[in-house]
């Protein structure tokens, strides 16, 4: 399936499907016609996968970076840029990011700053990468004091979401991606009963379609793009507390799922939706096999304090919530009400 991100001269096509990666050389030929070389940036564990048969159609080099979140450092950006110099990459050449969201974020940021910006093609191979990270042009790395604190908007020349690559993805990583897919399912008010009958290709196409439409309307997150943070306010707080005690406890998408269940309850407590909406949220999360209860040992006061620090919160607590006019960013929510709903949410566990 072809889905266009409509951003004028920065616009591009996202191709989803079981053999999308085979379109790489055509994509480079059409979007970077003067390219003579391509640097494929990927993680060590991925180069031996059966789907790692990429053909760029130009002189190609594979540059391996450390795996996962630890790869997202300024040191890795410096390493990549130095490798690009040694490979003789010019402004006409391209970088190809192949891997999970960590690799595509890092490769995208290195491409954004190398020679003040060269083209990047993203080939996300995790579900999170395909449904979220590789689309929309947000790139970046972490600092020791926090995630994604240094970055740039750098739209890719194209994105190839090859669902065949997901065959080798560990189940837990798949589940993490389902957290974001469930979010899209809810934002689009799809029927919970049809989750089971849908394919991975359909999940990817749904999420890419929604993200592409929202990014096309609001590239720099001045408005509508914030809706993509649905479930993320409590989700981030839960993720942070879990990370601090056990890095394996919750993947990002699992935390988002808990945040989605909570957002429905908060909207209900504020009189914005009826109980059917809460039930529909639970049904969607259950259909994806996602968690929807608050993990034990997370104090309400700690969760509220983290949410107040959340970069999306401005003055009071801010949530994306469902309501009579649809999903919207709701500001100024009384922290007492939020704390009370957290307590009741905990009681359901
Ligand atoms: N830029 C954005 O808009 C955006 C949006 C969402 C998330 N992100 C970022 O994405 C990152 C999370 O991405 P993620 O969940 O993909 O994690 P990840 O990149 O750490 O990948 C998870 C693991 O899966 C492995 N993997 C990837 N594809 C595989 C495959 N096909 N087969 C086997 N193993 C495979 C990776 O090597 C890694 O070990 C975070 O750094 C997050 O900040 C960015």
């Amino acid at each position: 399936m072809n889905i266009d991100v409509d951003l004028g001269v920065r616009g591009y096509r996202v191709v989803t499907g079981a053999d999308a990666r085979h379109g790489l050389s055509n994509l480079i030929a059409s979007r970077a016609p003067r390219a003579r070389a391509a640097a494929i940036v990927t993680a060590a564990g991925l180069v031996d996968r059966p789907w790692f048969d990429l053909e760029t159609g130009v002189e190609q080099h594979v540059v391996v970076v450390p795996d996962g979140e630890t790869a997202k450092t300024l040191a890795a950006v410096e390493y990549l840029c130095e490798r690009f110099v040694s490979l003789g990459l010019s402004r006409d050449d391209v970088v190809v990011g192949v891997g999970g969201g960590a690799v595509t974020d890092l490769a995208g940021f290195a491409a954004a700053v190398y020679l003040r910006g060269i083209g990047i093609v993203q080939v996300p191979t995790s579900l999170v990468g395909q449904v979220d990270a590789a689309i929309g042009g947000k790139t970046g790395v972490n600092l020791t004091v926090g995630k994604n604190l240094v970055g740039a908007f750098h739209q890719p020349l194209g994105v190839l979401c090859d669902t065949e690559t997901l065959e080798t993805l560990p189940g837990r990583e798949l589940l993490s991606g389902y957290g974001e897919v469930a979010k899209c399912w809810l934002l689009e008010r799809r029927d919970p009963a049809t989750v089971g009958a849908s394919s991975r290709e359909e999940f990817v196409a749904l999420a890419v379609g929604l993200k592409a439409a929202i990014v096309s309307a609001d590239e720099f997150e001045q408005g509508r793009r914030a809706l993509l943070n649905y479930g993320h306010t409590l989700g981030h707080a839960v993720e942070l507390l879990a990370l601090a005690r056990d890095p394996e406890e919750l993947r990002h998408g699992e935390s988002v799922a808990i945040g989605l269940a909570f957002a429905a309850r908060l909207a209900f407590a504020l009189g914005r939706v009826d109980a059917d909406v809460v039930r529909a949220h639970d049904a969607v999360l259950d259909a994806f096999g996602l968690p929807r209860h608050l993990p034990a040992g997370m104090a309400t006061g700690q969760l509220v304090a983290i949410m107040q620090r959340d970069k999306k919160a401005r003055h009071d607590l801010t949530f994306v919530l469902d309501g009579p006019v649809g999903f919207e960013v709701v500001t100024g929510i009384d922290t007492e009400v939020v704390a009370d709903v957290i307590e009741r949410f905990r009681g359901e566990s």
Side-chain angles (χ1 to χ4, degrees), residues 43 46 49 51 67-69 72 99-103 105 125-126 128-129 132-133 135 138-139 147-148 165-166 168-170 173 176 211 225 251:
L46 302 180
R49 303 290 174 170
W51 46 259
D67 194 15
E69 208 55 36
K72 282 178 58 172
V103 166
D105 271 13
T125 63
S126 70
V128 168
D132 193 2
I135 297 140
K138 279 192 190 175
T139 71
K147 275 189 66 173
N148 298 326
T165 66
L166 302 176
T168 59
L169 191 68
E173 301 300 339
S176 186
K211 186 154 185 186
R225 190 161 176 173
R251 296 288 290 134

Side-chain angles (χ1 to χ4, degrees), residues 74-132:
L74 281 169
V77 176
E78 186 175 10
Y79 166 76
L80 279 179
C81 291
E82 280 172 359
R83 289 283 290 133
F84 297 163
V85 173
S86 68
L87 295 172
L89 245 57
S90 77
R91 289 201 69 181
D92 292 333
D93 296 324
V94 288
V95 175
V96 182
V98 182
V103 166
T104 55
D105 271 13
L106 169 68
F109 185 56
V113 295
Y114 178 66
L115 302 181
R116 299 189 183 82
I118 71 169
I120 172 127
V121 174
Q122 298 286 24
V123 185
T125 63
S126 70
L127 190 57
V128 168
Q130 297 191 358
V131 301
D132 193 2

Side-chain angles (χ1 to χ4, degrees), residues 172 175-176 179 249-259 290-291:
R172 192 84 191 276
L175 196 62
S176 186
E249 184 177 343
L250 285 175
R251 296 288 290 134
H252 173 72
E254 295 173 291
S255 306
V256 169
I258 295 166
L290 287 158

Side-chain angles (χ1 to χ4, degrees), residues 217-299:
D218 177 21
E219 184 179 6
F220 299 113
E221 200 167 325
Q222 307 290 308
R224 243 173 94 67
R225 190 161 176 173
L227 294 187
L228 294 170
N229 296 324
Y230 189 43
H232 284 60
T233 309
L234 185 81
H236 272 148
V238 166
E239 186 178 11
L240 262 179
L241 290 183
L243 255 181
R245 62 188 190 191
D246 174 8
E248 294 307 310
E249 184 177 343
L250 285 175
R251 296 288 290 134
H252 173 72
E254 295 173 291
S255 306
V256 169
I258 295 166
L260 291 167
F262 178 75
R265 283 154 177 79
L266 183 58
F268 177 68
L270 293 171
R272 298 175 56 87
V273 299
D274 59 30
D276 284 347
V277 169
V278 178
R279 278 192 284 274
H281 276 64
D282 290 354
V284 168
L285 297 170
D286 288 348
F288 279 103
L290 287 158
R292 58 175 174 83
H293 294 294
L294 193 64
M298 293 192 176

Side-chain angles (χ1 to χ4, degrees), residues 6 17 24 31 59 68 114 127-128 149-150 155-156 158 164 175-176 179 181 184 279 293 303:
D6 200 0
L24 182 60
R31 292 298 320 267
E59 182 187 309
Y114 178 66
L127 190 57
V128 168
L149 291 179
V150 177
Q155 298 295 346
E164 223 168 72
L175 196 62
S176 186
V181 178
C184 298
R279 278 192 284 274
H293 294 294
L303 290 166

